[in-house]
Coordinates of all heavy atoms in Angstrom, one line a residue:
R1251 N 10.5 -16.9 10.1 CA 10.3 -18.0 9.2 C 8.8 -18.5 9.2 O 8.1 -18.4 10.2 CB 11.1 -19.3 9.7 CG 11.1 -20.5 8.8 CD 12.0 -21.6 9.2 NE 11.9 -22.8 8.5 CZ 12.6 -23.0 7.3 NH1 13.3 -22.0 6.8 NH2 12.4 -24.1 6.6
F1252 N 8.4 -18.8 8.0 CA 7.0 -19.3 7.7 C 7.2 -20.8 7.2 O 7.8 -21.0 6.3 CB 6.2 -18.4 6.8 CG 5.7 -17.1 7.5 CD1 6.5 -16.1 7.7 CD2 4.4 -17.0 7.9 CE1 6.1 -14.9 8.3 CE2 3.9 -15.8 8.4 CZ 4.8 -14.9 8.5
E1253 N 6.3 -21.7 7.8 CA 6.2 -23.0 7.3 C 4.7 -23.4 7.1 O 4.0 -23.7 8.2 CB 6.8 -24.0 8.2 CG 8.4 -23.8 8.3 CD 9.1 -24.8 9.1 OE1 8.3 -25.8 9.7 OE2 10.3 -24.7 9.4
I1254 N 4.2 -23.2 5.9 CA 2.8 -23.3 5.7 C 2.3 -24.4 4.8 O 2.8 -24.6 3.7 CB 2.2 -22.0 5.0 CG1 2.7 -20.7 5.8 CG2 0.7 -22.0 4.7 CD1 2.1 -20.6 7.1
D1255 N 1.6 -25.3 5.5 CA 1.1 -26.5 4.8 C -0.4 -26.5 4.4 O -1.2 -26.1 5.4 CB 1.3 -27.9 5.6 CG 2.7 -28.2 5.5 OD1 3.2 -28.9 4.7 OD2 3.4 -27.8 6.5
I1256 N -0.8 -26.7 3.2 CA -2.3 -26.7 2.9 C -2.5 -28.1 2.5 O -1.8 -28.9 2.0 CB -2.7 -25.7 2.0 CG1 -2.0 -26.0 0.5 CG2 -2.3 -24.3 2.4 CD1 -2.4 -25.0 -0.6
D1257 N -3.8 -28.5 2.4 CA -4.3 -29.8 2.1 C -5.8 -29.8 1.6 O -6.7 -29.5 2.4 CB -4.2 -30.8 3.3 CG -4.3 -32.2 2.9 OD1 -4.6 -32.5 1.7 OD2 -4.1 -33.1 3.7
F1258 N -6.0 -29.7 0.4 CA -7.3 -29.5 -0.4 C -7.7 -30.9 -0.9 O -6.9 -31.6 -1.4 CB -7.3 -28.3 -1.3 CG -7.4 -27.1 -0.9 CD1 -6.3 -26.5 -0.3 CD2 -8.5 -26.4 -1.0 CE1 -6.2 -25.1 0.2 CE2 -8.6 -25.0 -0.4 CZ -7.4 -24.5 0.2
D1259 N -9.1 -31.1 -0.8 CA -9.5 -32.2 -1.4 C -9.8 -32.0 -2.9 O -10.9 -31.8 -3.5 CB -11.0 -32.5 -0.8 CG -11.6 -33.8 -1.3 OD1 -10.9 -34.7 -2.0 OD2 -12.9 -34.0 -1.2
S1260 N -8.7 -31.8 -3.6 CA -8.7 -31.4 -5.0 C -7.4 -32.1 -5.7 O -6.4 -31.7 -5.2 CB -8.7 -30.0 -5.2 OG -8.2 -29.5 -6.5
P1261 N -7.5 -32.9 -6.7 CA -6.2 -33.5 -7.2 C -5.3 -32.3 -7.8 O -4.0 -32.5 -7.8 CB -6.8 -34.3 -8.4 CG -8.3 -34.6 -8.1 CD -8.7 -33.3 -7.3
L1262 N -5.8 -31.2 -8.2 CA -5.0 -30.1 -8.7 C -4.1 -29.6 -7.5 O -3.0 -29.3 -7.7 CB -5.9 -29.1 -9.3 CG -5.1 -27.8 -9.7 CD1 -4.2 -28.1 -11.0 CD2 -6.0 -26.7 -10.2
I1263 N -4.6 -29.5 -6.4 CA -4.0 -28.8 -5.3 C -3.4 -29.9 -4.4 O -2.1 -29.9 -4.1 CB -5.0 -27.9 -4.4 CG1 -5.5 -26.7 -5.3 CG2 -4.0 -27.2 -3.3 CD1 -6.5 -26.0 -4.6
G1264 N -4.2 -30.6 -3.8 CA -3.8 -31.7 -2.9 C -3.1 -31.1 -1.6 O -3.4 -30.1 -1.1
R1265 N -1.9 -31.8 -1.2 CA -1.2 -31.2 -0.1 C 0.1 -30.5 -0.8 O 0.9 -31.0 -1.4 CB -0.6 -32.3 0.9 CG 0.1 -31.7 1.9 CD 0.1 -32.7 3.2 NE 0.8 -32.0 4.3 CZ 0.8 -32.7 5.6 NH1 0.2 -33.7 5.8 NH2 1.4 -32.0 6.5
Q1266 N 0.3 -29.2 -0.3 CA 1.3 -28.4 -0.8 C 2.0 -27.6 0.5 O 1.2 -27.6 1.4 CB 1.0 -27.4 -1.9 CG 0.4 -28.0 -3.2 CD 0.1 -26.8 -4.2 OE1 0.3 -25.5 -3.8 NE2 -0.4 -27.2 -5.3
S1267 N 3.2 -27.2 0.4 CA 3.8 -26.4 1.5 C 4.7 -25.5 0.9 O 5.3 -25.5 -0.3 CB 4.5 -27.3 2.4 OG 5.6 -27.9 1.9
W1268 N 5.0 -24.5 1.6 CA 6.0 -23.3 1.4 C 6.7 -23.2 2.7 O 6.0 -23.0 3.7 CB 5.4 -22.1 0.9 CG 6.7 -21.2 0.4 CD1 7.2 -21.1 -0.8 CD2 7.3 -20.2 1.2 NE1 8.2 -20.2 -0.9 CE2 8.3 -19.7 0.4 CE3 7.3 -20.0 2.6 CZ2 9.2 -18.6 1.0 CZ3 8.1 -18.9 3.0 CH2 9.1 -18.3 2.1
K1269 N 8.0 -23.2 2.6 CA 8.8 -23.0 3.9 C 10.0 -22.2 3.6 O 10.6 -22.4 2.5 CB 9.3 -24.4 4.5 CG 8.2 -25.3 4.8 CD 8.8 -26.7 5.3 CE 7.6 -27.7 5.9 NZ 6.7 -28.0 5.1
G1270 N 10.2 -21.1 4.3 CA 11.5 -20.3 4.1 C 11.4 -19.0 5.1 O 10.5 -18.8 5.8
E1271 N 12.5 -18.5 5.0 CA 12.6 -17.1 5.7 C 12.0 -16.1 4.9 O 12.2 -16.0 3.6 CB 14.1 -16.8 5.9 CG 15.0 -17.9 6.6 CD 14.7 -17.7 8.1 OE1 14.3 -16.6 8.7 OE2 14.7 -18.8 8.8
V1272 N 11.1 -15.2 5.5 CA 10.6 -14.2 4.7 C 11.3 -12.9 5.0 O 11.3 -12.3 6.1 CB 9.1 -14.0 5.3 CG1 8.6 -12.7 4.7 CG2 8.3 -15.2 4.9
T1273 N 12.1 -12.5 4.0 CA 12.7 -11.2 3.7 C 12.1 -10.5 2.6 O 11.3 -11.1 1.9 CB 14.3 -11.5 3.7 OG1 14.3 -12.1 2.3 CG2 14.8 -12.5 4.7
A1274 N 12.6 -9.2 2.5 CA 12.1 -8.5 1.4 C 12.4 -9.1 0.0 O 11.5 -9.3 -0.9 CB 12.7 -7.0 1.3
D1275 N 13.6 -9.7 0.0 CA 14.0 -10.4 -1.3 C 13.2 -11.7 -1.6 O 12.9 -11.8 -2.7 CB 15.5 -10.6 -1.3 CG 16.3 -9.5 -1.3 OD1 15.7 -8.4 -1.9 OD2 17.6 -9.5 -1.1
T1276 N 13.1 -12.6 -0.6 CA 12.4 -13.7 -0.7 C 10.9 -13.6 -1.1 O 10.3 -14.2 -1.9 CB 12.6 -14.8 0.4 OG1 12.1 -14.1 1.6 CG2 13.9 -15.2 0.7
F1277 N 10.4 -12.5 -0.4 CA 9.0 -12.2 -0.6 C 8.8 -11.8 -2.1 O 7.9 -12.3 -2.7 CB 8.5 -11.2 0.3 CG 6.9 -10.9 0.4 CD1 6.2 -11.6 1.0 CD2 6.5 -9.9 -0.6 CE1 4.8 -11.4 1.0 CE2 5.0 -9.7 -0.6 CZ 4.3 -10.5 0.1
R1278 N 9.6 -10.9 -2.5 CA 9.5 -10.4 -4.0 C 9.5 -11.7 -4.9 O 8.8 -11.8 -5.9 CB 10.7 -9.4 -4.3 CG 10.4 -8.1 -3.7 CD 11.5 -7.1 -4.4 NE 11.5 -5.9 -3.7 CZ 12.4 -5.6 -2.9 NH1 13.2 -6.5 -2.2 NH2 12.3 -4.3 -2.2
R1279 N 10.6 -12.6 -4.8 CA 10.7 -13.7 -5.6 C 9.8 -14.7 -5.6 O 9.4 -15.3 -6.5 CB 12.2 -14.1 -5.3 CG 13.4 -13.3 -5.8 CD 14.6 -14.1 -5.9 NE 14.9 -15.0 -4.7 CZ 15.5 -14.8 -3.7 NH1 16.0 -13.5 -3.5 NH2 15.5 -15.6 -2.7

Side-chain angles (χ1 to χ4, degrees):
R1251 184 173 178 83
F1252 283 75
E1253 298 184 0
I1254 306 299
D1255 284 272
I1256 64 174
D1257 194 353
F1258 279 76
D1259 184 18
S1260 161
L1262 177 66
I1263 303 176
R1265 183 158 185 172
Q1266 297 183 5
S1267 65
W1268 188 90
K1269 297 177 172 64
E1271 300 287 327
V1272 172
T1273 66
D1275 287 342
T1276 58
F1277 189 86
R1278 286 190 188 94
R1279 291 195 312 267

